[in-house]
Amino acid sequence: MSDAKYFTTTKKGELAELRADLQGDKRDKKKDAIKKIIANMTVGKDVSSLFPDIVNCMQTDNLELKKLVYLYLMNYAKSQPDLAILAVNTFSKDCEDPNPLIRALAVRTMGCIRVDKITEYLCDPLRKCLKDEDPYVRKTAAVCVAKLHDINSQLVEEQGFLDLLRELLSDSVPMVVANAVASLAEISETSPAAADLGELDTPAINKLLTALNECTEWGQVFILDSISNYHPSEEREAQSICERVTPRLSHANAAVVLSAVKVLMQMMDILPQDSGYLQGLTRKLAPPLVTLLSTEAEIQYVALRNINLIVQKRPEILRDEIKVFFVKYNDPIYVKLEKLDVMIRLCTSQNISSILSELKEYATEVDVDFVRKSVRAIGRCAIKVESSADKCVSTLVDLIQTKVTYVVQEAIVVIKDIFRKYPNQYEGIISTLCQNLDSLDEPDARASMIWILGEYCDRIDEVEEILGSFLEGFQDENPQVQLQLLTAVVKLFLKKPTTTQELVQMVLTKATQDTDNPDLRDRGYIYWRLLSTDPAAAKEVVLAEKPVISEETDLLEPSLLDELLCHISTLASVYHKPPSAFVEGKIPVRKITLDKRPQQSESETTEDQPPEQLSAVSSDTQPTPPQDPQDPGTGDLLGDLLSLDLPSYNAAPPTIGGGGGLAEFDMLSGGIGGLQLGGPLGGGMVTAPPPASMAGLGMDFFSLSAPAPQPNNLVAPKTVWLNSTQGKGLEISGTFARRNGKVFLDATFTNKALGPMSDFAIQFNKNSFGLAPAAQLYVQSPLFPNQPFNTSLELVTGGVVMLMNPLDLLQVAVKNNVGVFYFSCNIPAYTLFVEDGKMDRKVFLSSWKELPSSNEVQKTLSYPLADLDSVKTKLEANNVFIIAERTVGEDMQVLLYVSTKLINGLTVLGELKILRNGQTTLSLKTNAMNVVPLVQSSLDAILSQ
Amino acid sequence: MFSQLFVLSSRGDILVFRDYRGDVDKDTPDIFFKYIKKWKEENGAYPPPAINQDKTHFLYVRRNNLYFVGVTKFNVAPACALEVLGRVAQLCKDYCGVLNEESLRLNFILVYELLDEVLDFGYPQQTNTEILKSYVSNQPVGVVVGSDSSGTKRTLPSTAANKPIAVSLDSMKDQKYEIFVDLLERLTVLVASNGHTLRSHIDGSLVMRSFLGGNAEVHLGLNTDLVIGREERMVRGTGSVVLEDCSFHEKANLTDFDRDRNLSIGAQDGEFTVMKYRVAASDILNPIPFRIFTNIEDGQFPRSLRITVRIKCEMPVKSSGTNIVVRIPVPKTTISVSSEPLGAGSSTEYREPDKMYIWKLKKLEGGNEEQLVMKLNLSEVTKATKKEVNSVSMEFEIPMYICSGLQIRFLRIFEKGRPVSPYRWVRYITHSDSYVFRV
């Protein structure tokens, strides 16, 4: 009797019928009913309502029936967790069954029922099964540990299952060892706590190598994958691992072969690179890889993707096997494309002619993708093997003659690269290219053709007309083509300025005014600016010699390649992406994280882009200084425009205070607003309207980096320190301020004498905080009579410390051509409160308690504090940090606890008791009582602002 | 490893669905099939076997128009996954007799039983047909009851081996006691337009399909003058058959192989490959079995072409090729194609979307030749038009013929050291793999 009939019934009341059958006592009917239910389950119908009836069928000694019930349970237990509990008893009983098949079945199924409540009942049976006498049960239990870990990792770690699992590594049956290895690998990969489990030591590796020969092919894969994570301590060990792994290369299972290759590639890095052993190993790797290419297409594909990586690192392995990569006409397209890639990687001057004759054939095939890639491959050959360039170019010209549009377009794209690599060698073919202008409808091809036209514009007849005709449809072109057109016309103008003014004017206007594309507009402005300010510089920039393009335009980045090589025979090696790019959450712990280009394809497109774009921008990063004094913002503007593209700029922490950053932004927005560009060659003024989106960009940028508005820290008004009589005509007034975590002396020097003054210098006497000037004093010299000069001098600590009285006294000497003058001033303590003075709450509490009340000084402020919020912001702005705030008592008095730290490391704790009427008492506690008056007056000053 | 494994029919129906880890949604078959369908519409071909859909990864193989698909969230070993899927397909074939939608529906409970043992928590455990027998309790059901042949017949229909293996002792009694041995060779040939053979090699395999109940030992003798590998060639000199490279089933006993080219293997039930080999065939394939001559000339009218394709069978008279298909590409600008009438057993078909003209011949005997004359009307003729007819490819099979000359000298069956005589069926067959003539 066949099972197909179970799929057919769809009558009404079917469920009721099934239920009746399940509850009946005829075993055959039961079995049939469950088969029907499972058939329904397979096609996605919901039969979960039968759960209780099915659980009732569980207690049976018929293995077939039991399996069916278990299959159902695994599928629906999660949706019926309460009912699933009913199954626990039977499971426990089955785990004791004399038949090992039933014991294994029970423990296997139990692990698949992903219900939390069940897991605790699983522990005891699982522990028994891990030590079962039957290897089939043990190997099933080994996997079950991983299952349990997936549901409840904590439980597994607490119950010591990991140790039991490790013991299984020494089991006498290889199949058990293999499953233990697989379980451990998964657990260590997903759980940080168990990460070191995956690290195997030398004896463990030796055990695995012994088990390797005897276990199933799949077990061999698990074991080899584990070994590939092992780093041998010395060469000899690496070599002995190689010797024991090498025989796996001739296994019929591709998975075993690739895993063995992975281990060998790892070990090869450790072996001395010039040893004969390594060369022997290299020779042994070729035949198995070649054999993989005569397997099923799917495996071939995986093998080819891996080979692609392997030959990038060690091309010598397959250098003589080029012919196996020639495509067969009945290969699936995905295999054909991969073979092409590998062929190019392996091409050398020795085998180039046979490769080229193959590629030529491929280029006339039917499949469009394959043809395109073949044409591209011919170009890559030309770039890679110089001696073949002539042949490649003539092949490409032949292909262009076929007039098949996609062949022509692809050929033009690669010819552009050939021109880059071998400048001034093949212009002869440009006329052939020009015959095909009409058939170019793809942006890549159009952009490449235009690049060629621009680059060789001085040698092409009627190039003005050609470019002009492209310009007519400028708006409809792809941005890539627009950029190329812009550059090409500018090149043309620089080479033939007399006849092309109109053209360049047109393209610049179109690029800057009629477009929404910021890239295009920016480039337009840059050219325009360059041309209008300094045509000679423009020539240097635009017609600069281009950097040589690399031979391998599509090599993976070395660090990515190395990472991928560690992942040979995994999905990463097929996608050519690091695992973090496509695996969620479960990132192996050992892995080196790389912040690299995520995709090969992306890097290819940038490589394929006509190179002008890059060279133009990079030469511009040091812009010619602005010549026009009327427009001081432009120079900065250019710099800023360019830096807009740099993502790091946005990520930079906002600069606070000082206003330096703000000024720049002001300049930027002002610059954009007032941007007026002169027309090229002074041929009439063209006024560029302020581009809306640009301004928007600028604004966004502004708001991103500008600090949120906040009160400035306290700066006292300048007071006169040295009057003109004492200073023989020199008057100095000044103050101290804290900006960006530094102390500054801000002073105004005024010459009240009759003659000019010069040669200013400053010196500090020893002081309480060891302050000293960080740099030379700068005062404009000569300082003319009645001329004031503002200067700002940064101060640092580190000078000689001498306690002064009062503490904040600073004695200063200033020298000029007239003489040396002395004066003294007071440094307000608030300029010495440092930014990292915020104390941890607990530390504060304990310090506050520890300090005796004798160390407490109280003062009642002479003015009421009304607005609590402004009090807090004022304090915080001056590095007096709020630790806690409490409201107490019926009269709602507020208690603010604050801490601050002085530049010399002294900390001061404070309590502000603010009554409802605003009357405030300030208490300060500290070890160093002598700073208290200083801090008290500072806080007074801050709060009274 | 695998979170799910499912089998879909060519129309996307779920035939088997097994969830191993519960970490992926259940709508994966739908997502997968939509992806395949879309890709096929856009590219006219099947996608590569590893597919990433939103960090859920599908690995699939196609066998007999069925999709065997594994789903995972991990960075698995794709080669391992694809091998497992291939084995699952092979197991289904062994246990169900043939691999198709119907046979899977008929035996779906059995397939679930197998999948339970093949993978645990998504990790492959056991894929050996013979060993798995002891873990399944359902009886396989054959799709078609093969025409029962009596022992006196010398030949059997080629579908005779398409029956399920016997699982229980009961069914073993009814089981016919027999073994099928196939020596298969696939030819890859590329001929340049001047008739010179550019490339030719043979991929061969010796495949057994056993219904001996699993405890018989098969002894098999190959050509005594067989030479394997280049190095051996130096030592032994040129024999009649030279294999470039050769690999054996891991269970094959090769103790006598070096001496007299005899090998033995414990024949488990089901299908397995005893030996695979590769022959660089430049000397052996001389002459190659079929040769094609193509001539392209301008037609009677403007914008027309006349293509003559002549196919010659260069094998000995007693051999013949069957199911021959010749594919002739026509230029993209072709409006219509017609051909002059052909003899019996020949037919033609024009596949407009592929611009491909197909010529089918039922049979072509050694020494004979056939000719096809095509007339093409084109919308445009340029210098390159003729070049678009760049290569003619063909498919064929040659029954009872092996190009390499490899032979099975004898096939003996022993059971516990005692010779027995079950039905032994030996078949030689040569297939085209990639067989192309450049024009």
Side-chain angles (χ1 to χ4, degrees), chain A residues 236-250:
Chain A
R236 254 224 329 265
E237 198 185 355
Q239 190 165 332
S240 96
I241 290 176
C242 287
E243 266 155 27
R244 296 171 76 173
V245 167
T246 313
R248 299 296 112 206
L249 289 175
S250 55

Side-chain angles (χ1 to χ4, degrees), chain A residues 1-4 6-7 35 38-39 42-44 63-64 67-68 71 74-75 78 101 105 108 112 114 136 139-140 143 146-147 150 175 179 182-183 186 189-190 216-218 220-222 225 250-255 258-259 290-291 294-296 298-299 301-302 323-324 326-330 333-334 357-358 361-362 364-367 369 401-404 406 567 569-575 577 579-584 586, chain B residues 1 14-23 26 43 45-52 54-63 72-80 82-84 87 102 105-110 112-113 116-117 119-121 123-127 134-138 141 186 188 190 198-199 201 203 245 247-248 250 276 278 327 329 332 354 356 382-384 387-388 390-391 393-395 432-436 438:
Chain A
M1 192 171 58
S2 80
D3 294 339
Y6 303 120
F7 285 95
K35 282 186 182 178
I38 288 176
T42 300
V43 295
L63 192 59
E64 192 189 348
K67 278 189 179 181
L68 292 173
L71 192 60
M74 282 187 269
N75 221 353
K78 218 177 173 184
L101 284 186
L105 184 64
R108 185 170 70 200
C112 292
R114 305 173 61 83
Y136 181 73
K139 73 132 194 174
T140 310
V143 175
K147 292 179 188 171
D150 194 38
M175 186 168 64
N179 274 4
S183 274
E186 178 174 330
E189 202 168 284
T190 48
T216 65
E217 47 201 324
W218 313 114
Q220 295 185 18
V221 174
F222 304 153
D225 285 349
S250 55
H251 202 284
N253 185 325
L258 273 175
S259 290
V290 170
T291 305
S294 52
T295 50
E296 292 89 359
E298 293 95 354
I299 303 272
Y301 173 78
V302 172
K323 282 201 170 152
V324 301
F326 290 171
V327 304
K328 295 183 187 175
Y329 99 102
N330 53 349
I333 181 70
Y334 55 77
S357 68
E358 280 290 314
E361 294 294 333
Y362 302 163
T364 60
E365 287 257 351
V366 200
D367 191 282
D369 278 345
Q401 310 281 17
T402 64
K403 305 262 180 199
V404 179
Y406 55 83
H567 292 289
S569 175
T570 70
L571 279 176
S573 69
V574 171
Y575 296 148
K577 286 179 194 170
S580 52
F582 59 86
V583 178
E584 262 166 10
K586 296 157 180 161
Chain B
M1 275 307 291
I14 306 172
L15 301 177
V16 178
F17 180 93
R18 179 76 167 84
D19 196 318
Y20 287 103
R21 300 181 68 105
D23 57 351
K26 305 250 187 244
N43 301 285
Y46 287 95
I51 297 164
N52 177 3
D54 202 18
K55 299 197 175 176
T56 301
H57 308 281
F58 295 90
L59 292 140
Y60 81 99
V61 301
R62 256 180 85 235
R63 297 285 180 269
T72 182
K73 289 264 185 193
F74 286 76
N75 184 22
V76 299
C80 183
L82 296 171
E83 284 273 5
V84 169
R87 292 307 165 80
E102 194 193 352
R105 281 196 205 276
L106 282 172
N107 293 290
F108 82 99
I109 296 288
L110 174 63
Y112 273 123
E113 271 194 285
D116 243 12
E117 299 296 331
L119 292 156
D120 188 9
F121 204 41
Y123 287 100
Q125 301 290 310
Q126 184 55 263
T127 50
S134 51
Y135 297 108
V136 296
S137 49
N138 275 277
V141 183
R186 290 178 302 141
T188 297
L190 177 63
L198 291 174
R199 209 186 313 152
H201 71 260
D203 289 308
D245 176 37
S247 66
F248 296 95
E250 54 183 350
K276 276 186 190 170
R278 199 152 45 93
R327 296 166 196 275
K332 301 257 180 321
D354 305 335
M356 190 69 80
T382 65
K383 216 168 82 185
K387 281 191 188 167
E388 286 186 55
N390 61 336
S391 67
S393 63
M394 69 179 291
E395 288 167 24
S432 58
D433 186 356
S434 164
Y435 203 90
V436 180
R438 286 182 181 157

Side-chain angles (χ1 to χ4, degrees), chain A residues 655 657-667 702 706-707:
Chain A
T655 42
L662 280 172
E664 262 177 51
F665 294 120
D666 282 339
M667 209 169 353
F702 177 84

Side-chain angles (χ1 to χ4, degrees), chain A residues 257-272:
Chain A
V257 175
L258 273 175
S259 290
V261 169
K262 176 183 184 174
V263 175
L264 293 176
M265 287 292 287
Q266 305 272 12
M267 298 301 151
M268 283 166 95
D269 279 350
I270 300 166
L271 295 169

